[in-house]
Structures are given as C-alpha cells and as structure tokens.
Amino acid sequence: MKVLFVCLGNICRSPSAEGVFRTMSDAETDSAGTSGWHVGDAPYGPMQKAAKNRGYDLSDLRARAFVAQDFDRFDLIIGMDDSNLQNIEALRPVGNETPVVCFTDYAPSSGMSEVPDPYYTRDFDGALDLIEACAKGLQADIG
Ligand code: 4NP
C-alpha cells in the first residue's frame, strides 16, 4: 500500500501526517504540496519542534510539489482540506480512479472536516492532536 499525504506548502500538515503515520504502519508513505512554494525545504521549524516533542522526527523530509503522475504512483491520496482536494482533483488524469479523500474522514469523532493550517493558526499542537487521531483511524482502516 502506497499512501501520499498532500497539503498546500508541504512543510506543516502533510509532512506531519507522514511523520506520524509512518511510525504506526508498514505502508509506503510520501507527502507533497499543491504549491511549489517550498520545494526542497525541510518541514517548518515550529512544526518540527512540536512534532519532536511528541517523538516524531520530521527532519529527513523535504518538500516537493504534487504532480499528476502521483495518481499512478500511489494507491491512496489524502488531502488536508477542501482546497487541497480541489487542487489535487484538477490534476487527475482521464480514466484514473485512485481514491482521493480528506484526512479528517478517518477521525469522524473529531467533528472536523479539515485539518486547520497551523502555518496560519499557529496552533501546531492542535494540528498534531487532530493528525494523530486521523492517523490512528487510517491505520485501523488500511493497516
Ligand atoms: P502547509 O502550510 O500547507 O500545512 O504546509 C503552509 C505552509 C506554508 C505556506 C502555506 C501553508 N505558505 O504560504 O508559505
């Protein structure tokens, strides 16, 4: 199983999702951003710090842009918010049926329909709380 996590910048939410989920699953994981703004960058400093406090080391991750070929390379593509889902779907190749879902679908009890962007909210711990809940749900679903 190959899972791709996608957000806007690929320096806060999707690398955190990857960093959390890879500690609980044998699935192959990667992450990408719908923008190319931070290509080559390590995860955002305050995000890395908050993750490290919980035992997740994100320091090996580097941002890259989401590309249409990702639809053929992954079995499941997971966006963090509705805007991500729209930007992902805009690149879907004709005939491709790879599932694209929102991460919060895996944590219905959270009552959240999106993972709020901590780059703007500055609530890195709140984002990690939700990401951990979603990752547990995903693990229960796909192993
Ligand atoms: P992310 O957060 O999509 O969770 O990585 C963002 C990081 C950077 C920017 C936007 C969102 N930015 O505008 O640079």
Side-chain angles (χ1 to χ4, degrees), residues 7-15 37-38 84 117-120:
C7 63
L8 176 59
N10 194 208
I11 57 168
C12 288
R13 294 165 295 171
S14 61
W37 300 335
H38 293 280
N84 300 155
D117 193 339
Y119 191 77
Y120 301 114

Side-chain angles (χ1 to χ4, degrees), residues 4-85:
L4 180 65
F5 299 96
V6 179
C7 63
L8 176 59
N10 194 208
I11 57 168
C12 288
R13 294 165 295 171
S14 61
S16 296
E18 180 182 7
V20 170
F21 187 63
R22 70 182 176 180
T23 68
M24 48 176 84
S25 171
D26 291 330
E28 255 186 69
T29 59
D30 193 9
S31 67
T34 59
S35 79
W37 300 335
H38 293 280
V39 169
D41 289 358
Y44 189 49
M47 189 78 254
Q48 279 203 57
K49 198 170 170 187
K52 196 77 186 281
N53 276 338
R54 300 181 184 211
Y56 305 111
D57 184 357
L58 310 182
S59 63
D60 60 309
L61 302 175
R62 294 295 177 272
R64 73 166 176 89
F66 178 77
V67 291
Q69 289 91 328
D70 286 319
F71 279 97
D72 297 317
R73 295 183 186 138
F74 291 90
D75 303 303
L76 177 62
I77 298 173
I78 301 178
M80 300 294 134
D81 62 32
D82 291 341
S83 166
N84 300 155
L85 299 179

Side-chain angles (χ1 to χ4, degrees), residues 90-133:
L91 293 182
R92 184 187 288 277
V94 173
N96 177 280
E97 294 186 354
T98 304
V100 174
V101 299
C102 192
F103 204 21
T104 52
D105 292 353
Y106 296 100
S109 64
S110 70
M112 301 292 284
S113 61
E114 304 186 311
V115 181
D117 193 339
Y119 191 77
Y120 301 114
T121 68
R122 312 310 291 176
D123 185 6
F124 298 95
D125 273 301
L128 283 169
D129 287 340
L130 182 54
I131 285 166
E132 285 181 328

